[in-house]
Amino acid sequence: MTDHNHAPPRGPNGGLSHYQTMELAVSELLIEKGLFSEQKLQGEIAAMDARSPETGARVVALAWSDAAFKARLLDDGTAACESIGIDMGPTRLVVVESSAAIHNVIVCTLCSCYPRMLLGLPPDWYKTANYRSRVVREPRAVLREFGTELPDDVVVRVHDNTADMRYMVLPARPKGTESMDREALAKLVTRDSMIGVGLAMTP
Amino acid sequence: MSEPGRMHHDMGGRPAGPVDHGQHDHVLWEKRVDALLMLLSNNTRRIITVDELRRGIEELGAEAYSRLTYYERWVASVTHNLLEKGIIRADELGRKMAEIEARSPEARSRKEAG
């Protein structure tokens, strides 16, 4: 299976494809039935566009610099994020902490479940059959493809997301960041470090 | 590619090649499908859960699962779930799709040419 071809095939003369027509038809029917409005749909698109790994990075930087928040985040990720004003939607968040001894990675082997409220939409590679198949069997080899080489004595834990529960990695805080403020810390937190295929950047 | 007792989507641990790092920008159509599911699955509506979305995708079968693009699978599953729950009917969906096809620019230009 590949996900290379994202744009649905166009109909003859560049018109709507079958599935594009289906989406418009379903949306229009639901709007006619009063389930929501076109404005509401546009608002949902804008809200999703606004979600990015910056939200997750803000959470990580806060956890690195506030021990009480970090404890709350690891205890109940959903509640901790909601306490700082992040809408978490219907899914439960579980945050797993990486350290010098343990490295965590997330995947959704069955589908593409992802902590989208904190990281935005998943990157294409996260949804590919190759990532989903291999990262649970040979995580070190997959991480190496992302340029992440882990020492042999580091334990690697792979966490499989579900429809209702999403993992996010709290990456290990890099050395030499003791005097940095939250804003500067957040800039070190990459999307890949919160998925676990990468590490936080060093200053 | 399926093993006995294991469906096509259940791919954890299967041998596979290198991870392709290519990235595409989501087009508006894909964002609309995503937003549609978000509206149907959010805490105030809960009309379709993500589990139900996934089941609908899995039930497409191995052939369609690999042939359809990511958001084509989503819209096929959302539509299937809405029909199953009786929220939309097959006849009104068929009528609406025909109506949308008829008002597409290509249909209009065909009409003008004829």
Side-chain angles (χ1 to χ4, degrees), chain B residues 10-30:
Chain B
D10 183 7
M11 49 183 71
R14 286 207 183 117
V19 178
D20 178 351
H21 293 255
Q23 180 65 34
H24 87 296
D25 290 328
H26 289 96
V27 296
L28 180 61
W29 177 81
E30 295 174 307

Side-chain angles (χ1 to χ4, degrees), chain B residues 4-71:
Chain B
R6 197 166 165 182
M7 275 176 70
H8 52 276
H9 69 279
D10 183 7
M11 49 183 71
R14 286 207 183 117
V19 178
D20 178 351
H21 293 255
Q23 180 65 34
H24 87 296
D25 290 328
H26 289 96
V27 296
L28 180 61
W29 177 81
E30 295 174 307
K31 292 181 181 185
R32 286 185 64 93
V33 177
D34 200 276
L36 182 59
L37 179 77
M38 292 292 268
L39 284 172
L40 292 170
S41 66
N42 68 18
N43 282 331
T44 55
R45 286 190 195 81
R46 290 192 176 277
I47 292 171
I48 300 179
T49 66
V50 178
D51 306 75
E52 289 170 323
L53 173 78
R54 226 193 66 202
R55 178 186 54 87
I57 290 171
E58 289 156 11
E59 283 177 1
L60 289 168
E63 190 276 324
Y65 189 89
S66 57
R67 177 170 46 84
L68 268 52
T69 65
Y70 185 77
Y71 282 107

Side-chain angles (χ1 to χ4, degrees), chain A:
Chain A
M1 186 196 84
T2 63
D3 267 301
H4 289 234
N5 182 20
H6 288 272
R10 310 290 293 188
N13 311 322
L16 296 173
S17 74
H18 175 69
Y19 290 99
Q20 284 176 311
T21 305
M22 189 183 283
E23 178 275 311
L24 283 174
V26 168
S27 299
E28 284 186 21
L29 285 173
L30 296 177
I31 289 166
E32 283 166 18
K33 289 172 190 292
L35 265 79
F36 50 78
S37 61
E38 176 64 26
Q39 288 89 320
K40 199 92 181 142
L41 187 77
Q42 295 297 332
E44 203 60 55
I45 292 173
M48 199 62 235
D49 278 343
R51 293 186 188 103
S52 81
E54 278 175 35
T55 309
R58 187 159 64 85
V59 171
V60 169
L62 183 56
W64 280 348
S65 50
D66 178 340
F69 177 77
K70 179 175 154 181
R72 289 209 307 277
L73 186 68
L74 295 174
D75 178 52
D76 183 342
T78 319
C81 289
E82 282 173 347
S83 76
I84 57 166
I86 302 169
D87 169 23
M88 295 304 290
T91 53
R92 193 159 80 87
L93 176 74
V94 176
V95 176
V96 286
E97 183 185 15
S98 289
S99 64
I102 296 168
H103 183 87
N104 296 288
V105 190
I106 67 166
V107 64
C108 176
T109 61
L110 294 176
C111 180
S112 56
C113 298
Y114 186 72
R116 53 160 57 209
M117 307 310 269
L118 295 177
L119 304 186
L121 292 175
D124 288 344
W125 57 257
Y126 184 85
K127 306 189 278 190
T128 60
N130 288 1
Y131 181 73
R132 291 160 54 192
S133 300
R134 283 178 57 226
V135 77
V136 290
R137 183 192 284 263
E138 42 176 6
R140 285 171 195 276
V142 172
L143 262 58
R144 218 169 285 130
E145 290 172 26
F146 285 84
T148 305
E149 190 78 50
L150 295 175
D152 286 344
D153 60 348
V154 173
V155 174
V156 180
R157 290 186 183 152
V158 184
H159 304 269
D160 201 350
N161 285 308
T162 72
D164 303 313
M165 199 191 78
R166 311 296 164 90
Y167 291 101
M168 187 186 83
V169 175
L170 174 60
R173 181 172 176 164
K175 291 199 178 78
T177 58
E178 292 72 15
S179 61
M180 290 173 77
D181 65 15
R182 261 173 223 164
E183 213 173 303
L185 286 171
K187 292 198 171 76
L188 303 175
V189 185
T190 61
R191 177 197 69 199
D192 286 3
S193 73
M194 294 179 279
I195 300 174
V197 292
L199 304 171
M201 293 188 287
T202 43

